[in-house]
Amino acid sequence: MINKIEKVKNAINAAGADGALIVSKVNLFYLTQRIFDGFIYISAEGEALVFAKKAANAPENCIFVRKYEEMPEIFKSKGLKAPQKLLGSKTAKGKR
């Protein structure tokens, strides 16, 4: 998982973004080798945060949430700055 996360971080830094929010099941599987109901936030610096909506097949050390809107409060509780610019598929291709 580390090498794949590092590839995403390289793309984040190349695009000048603060992080990336991975929500696609295919991309979640690529990064974690699991299919689960959730998402991953990868910051340009620091560790990736794995969020799960349900415990079924969720990776270890994940943060359980019901919806995306809970993320700012989680960032705040962890002493992290909320991202201002997220890497998106259009950003990665240079279209934004």
Side-chain angles (χ1 to χ4, degrees), residues 14-60:
D18 299 320
L21 187 62
I22 312 300
V23 297
S24 151
K25 300 281 189 236
V26 171
N27 291 332
L28 290 172
F29 182 77
Y30 172 77
L31 293 169
T32 66
Q33 298 303 301
R34 292 174 186 249
I35 296 175
F36 65 99
D37 189 11
F39 45 95
I40 299 174
Y41 172 72
I42 302 172
S43 65
E45 304 292 330
E47 293 185 36
L49 298 176
V50 179
F51 297 89
K53 294 180 183 178
K54 298 177 183 175
N57 208 28
E60 294 128 22

Side-chain angles (χ1 to χ4, degrees), residues 7 13 24 34 45 47 55 57 70 75 78 87 89:
K7 286 181 183 180
N13 287 315
S24 151
R34 292 174 186 249
E45 304 292 330
E47 293 185 36
N57 208 28
E70 295 175 47
F75 284 130
K78 293 187 168 291
L87 177 71
S89 59

